[in-house]
Amino acid sequence: MAVLLQVKPEEIDETILLENELPKEAEEEKQGILDVHVCLADGVDAFLSRAE
């Protein structure tokens, strides 16, 4: 996460993987969504999302 956000690893307070429900078709096609909420030490919240 630090590399993606271009911050030092020690600047990250918390990383939370968010749950996602995929439609049945997506499960069969092995597609997925990754949503991540990152809380930085300076109080900034970042939200990253990746769909395949």
Side-chain angles (χ1 to χ4, degrees), residues 2-50:
V3 171
L4 292 173
L5 295 172
Q6 298 180 349
V7 299
K8 296 177 183 173
E10 57 270 15
E11 294 179 36
I12 296 177
D13 271 349
E14 186 176 15
T15 301
I16 304 164
L17 296 177
L18 304 173
E19 288 189 38
N20 289 302
E21 276 194 42
L22 295 175
K24 186 149 180 75
E25 306 83 45
E27 289 177 12
E28 293 169 359
E29 296 170 8
K30 296 186 180 180
Q31 293 182 350
I33 300 171
L34 175 65
D35 290 332
V36 181
H37 180 192
V38 180
C39 304
L40 301 179
D42 63 2
V44 172
D45 288 337
F47 179 77
L48 304 165
S49 183
R50 172 75 184 186

